[in-house]
Amino acid sequence: MKSRSNSPFASPRPVASPRSVPQRTLGFHSHEPTGPDYTSLLNDEILLQVFSKVPVSHHVSSSLVCKRWLFIHGRLVQSIKVIDFRFVNSGRVFTRFPNLENIDIAHACIKMPRNSGILITRNNSSVYIGTKLLSDVFIEESDLLSSDLIDNGLELISKWYPNLRRIAVFGSSENGLLCVSSKCKMLQELELHCCGDMSLKGISGCRNLQVLKLIGCVDGFFNSMVSDIGLTILAQGCRRLVKLELCGCEGSYDGIKAIGQCCQMLEELTIRDHRMDGGWLAALLFCENLKTLRLQSCKSIDSSPGLPEHLGSCPTLEELHLQQCQMRDKQAVKALFLICKTVREIVLQNCWGLEDEVFATATVCRRARLLSLEGCSLLTTGCLESVILNWKELERLTVISCNNIKDSEITPDLATLFSVLKELKWRPDSKSLLSAGLAGTGVGNKGGRFFKGLKV
């Protein structure tokens, strides 16, 4: 068998026989191989097939055997996260990983201090910081790479990876995004951090883009404005969107309306920590194929939702998820449930201000089949009963860490409903949940386990 290696690291030396290998002496460890390298008889394609059968957990250790194995293992890698932008601009990433389909350079666009043990996380954005802070924000303008440097990196990435499927980038301008959209025709998922309205013109060429995560502003980290102008630009340029996440974005009724009218394939919409003007909820009616609506970390639902009799509903909506949202405004919550009254699944997790009077407005969701409540400590057993007894199609119920819902207050009607449910998870008291989790550990036994040795 002849060696037909395409690797630049293939060794030209002939295979040594076992007798030609020098013997090790006491106190001396030779760096020469102890036997013949039979893998040199295999070409790169065969060796690549062999390595593809090796578990992923062994890829790093096996890639350290020699330079050729390192190069071949790099061909197997399809997804990486870059933390040093010099790895991109120097071109090393393209020779090390020639077949990438997913690359994340968002963290590499920030000049983070080396060997820092302080990690700050907010809204899924994380950054290492130093011990000295000169302002109220963790990321200052001087901590960011220049847009020209980032655009140059994006130009190289789009040139070397025309089959790229996903990319995450921080602070890019219109020119950098335009290079990606014009050359990476297979791009399906895009994540943009700190990107303003005008920069979104660059993604107008992403005709096959299906998933977009747009992070405009994160308190304490960075500020960039994404208003109705930017939402309209991305709606007109990315008409095949299936999933859209807007984090820290401004806007109003007009921006959401443009998305609903242009992105007719949109099925999942996530709005996190929004800064939208009042009345934006009503624009959800234009999302005719929307199936899942998620609201996360929102300080308010809608400051001015309008009169209930003027609100319609989304006929295709099936799931409503609210996580860590302020729900003290009864009028806004009522408007939300009216628009989402056709949902089949309602998930409420750690929402503040969800009192009985507010949750009672959920009775309009009569088609609900699943209800999940977690961390809703203000709800009582009576309000829960009055709501779910009106839902004739309810099949699954989850109640966790809702301290005002008591086992002793369960009525015969509620017990009958529980008996016909397909799935029931009932752990409303967080104290009993904690006790169950600590059972058998000895914690809470008045120190008997820890001071046993002191007894006389």
Side-chain angles (χ1 to χ4, degrees):
M1 182 183 299
K2 295 182 180 180
S3 176
R4 299 184 300 275
S5 174
N6 297 325
S7 170
F9 305 110
S11 175
R13 296 181 303 173
V15 179
S17 62
R19 295 182 179 180
S20 64
V21 178
Q23 299 293 327
R24 293 185 178 181
T25 58
L26 185 63
F28 174 76
H29 298 280
S30 174
H31 294 284
E32 294 296 327
T34 57
D37 181 13
Y38 293 110
T39 62
S40 62
L41 300 176
L42 305 176
N43 58 24
D44 289 352
E45 285 70 22
I46 296 178
L47 200 57
L48 187 64
Q49 294 182 11
V50 174
F51 287 152
S52 64
K53 306 298 182 181
V54 177
V56 178
S57 58
H58 294 73
H59 281 186
V60 175
S61 57
S62 58
S63 65
L64 301 177
V65 173
C66 62
K67 290 183 177 181
R68 185 190 177 201
W69 285 27
L70 180 69
F71 173 79
I72 294 177
H73 272 288
R75 295 171 60 182
L76 291 173
V77 177
Q78 296 183 344
S79 175
I80 65 168
K81 184 176 183 179
V82 181
I83 60 175
D84 190 344
F85 206 80
R86 291 175 295 182
F87 191 50
V88 175
N89 278 350
S90 64
R92 289 178 294 169
V93 65
F94 310 117
T95 56
R96 177 70 177 86
F97 306 107
N99 298 325
L100 287 182
E101 295 183 356
N102 179 358
I103 184 169
D104 185 345
I105 63 172
H107 288 76
C109 299
I110 306 173
K111 303 175 185 177
M112 292 183 290
R114 296 182 178 272
N115 303 323
S116 174
I118 306 176
L119 178 64
I120 303 297
T121 301
R122 182 179 176 85
N123 291 343
N124 294 337
S125 297
S126 300
V127 61
Y128 285 95
I129 63 173
T131 56
K132 296 182 179 179
L133 291 177
L134 301 179
S135 63
D136 296 333
V137 296
F138 297 111
I139 302 178
E140 300 179 354
E141 186 176 354
S142 59
D143 297 329
L144 304 178
L145 298 181
S146 65
S147 59
D148 294 338
L149 186 62
I150 297 174
D151 292 344
N152 181 64
L154 290 177
E155 184 178 0
L156 292 174
I157 290 174
S158 59
K159 175 183 177 181
W160 285 91
Y161 301 130
N163 296 323
L164 198 66
R165 300 297 181 91
R166 180 186 181 275
I167 185 171
V169 64
F170 189 104
S172 175
S173 69
E174 177 186 351
N175 295 331
L177 295 177
L178 192 60
C179 290
V180 176
S181 62
S182 60
K183 297 181 181 180
C184 302
K185 300 298 183 181
M186 303 297 294
L187 190 68
Q188 296 180 352
E189 187 172 350
L190 181 61
E191 182 175 329
L192 298 179
H193 298 250
C194 192
C195 193
D197 287 337
M198 295 300 103
S199 299
L200 295 176
K201 291 183 178 180
I203 64 174
S204 59
C206 299
R207 300 301 180 184
N208 295 316
L209 192 65
Q210 298 181 7
V211 181
L212 174 61
K213 183 177 181 180
L214 183 59
I215 304 176
C217 176
V218 178
D219 290 336
F221 278 64
F222 53 84
N223 291 297
S224 62
M225 179 177 292
V226 177
S227 62
D228 285 337
I229 298 175
L231 296 180
T232 304
I233 291 174
L234 74 88
Q236 294 177 351
C238 307
R239 296 178 177 268
R240 295 188 178 183
L241 282 181
V242 178
K243 295 182 180 181
L244 174 62
E245 180 173 348
L246 303 176
C247 179
C249 295
E250 301 180 9
S252 63
Y253 175 91
D254 295 331
I256 302 298
K257 177 182 177 181
I259 293 175
Q261 289 179 333
C262 298
C263 305
Q264 298 183 0
M265 300 174 62
L266 187 66
E267 296 183 357
E268 182 174 329
L269 176 62
T270 301
I271 298 180
R272 183 194 300 269
D273 190 21
H274 74 81
R275 289 148 170 82
M276 296 185 183
D277 297 336
W280 72 271
L281 268 178
L284 293 175
L285 303 180
F286 293 94
C287 302
E288 298 180 353
N289 293 311
L290 189 64
K291 296 182 179 179
T292 303
L293 176 63
R294 302 178 189 272
L295 300 180
Q296 299 177 356
S297 303
C298 294
K299 299 173 184 176
S300 66
I301 303 299
D302 194 330
S303 59
S304 180
L307 297 177
E309 53 267 22
H310 295 162
L311 296 175
S313 62
C314 298
T316 60
L317 197 62
E318 298 178 356
E319 299 181 23
L320 174 62
H321 297 255
L322 288 95
Q323 181 180 5
Q324 297 179 349
C325 294
Q326 293 280 0
M327 300 184 65
R328 292 184 171 89
D329 190 346
K330 178 183 176 181
Q331 183 181 2
V333 176
K334 183 178 180 180
L336 176 63
F337 284 134
L338 282 173
I339 293 175
C340 305
K341 65 181 181 180
T342 61
V343 295
R344 297 303 183 103
E345 299 182 7
I346 300 178
V347 179
L348 305 177
Q349 183 178 7
N350 299 324
C351 292
W352 301 288
L354 187 61
E355 300 176 344
D356 289 350
E357 187 179 1
V358 177
F359 184 66
T361 59
T363 53
V364 297
C365 304
R366 300 181 182 276
R367 300 178 60 186
R369 294 181 178 178
L370 180 148
L371 174 63
S372 178
L373 300 174
E374 182 177 352
C376 302
S377 58
L378 298 180
L379 287 181
T380 63
T381 311
C383 179
L384 175 66
E385 179 181 2
S386 64
V387 172
I388 63 177
L389 287 181
N390 290 299
W391 296 351
K392 303 302 181 181
E393 300 182 23
L394 187 66
E395 298 177 350
R396 294 174 172 83
L397 176 64
T398 299
V399 179
I400 298 176
S401 300
C402 300
N403 295 335
N404 278 337
I405 299 178
K406 308 295 184 180
D407 292 340
S408 59
E409 299 176 355
I410 296 178
T411 63
D413 293 339
L414 193 57
T416 302
L417 176 62
F418 288 172
S419 63
V420 298
L421 292 177
K422 292 183 179 180
E423 181 180 343
L424 175 63
K425 295 181 181 179
W426 185 262
R427 296 192 298 270
D429 190 357
S430 59
K431 294 182 180 179
S432 62
L433 181 63
L434 178 62
S435 300
L438 297 177
T441 63
V443 178
N445 292 338
K446 297 182 179 181
R449 178 180 178 182
F450 303 101
F451 300 101
K452 187 179 297 183
L454 300 179
K455 294 181 180 179
V456 181

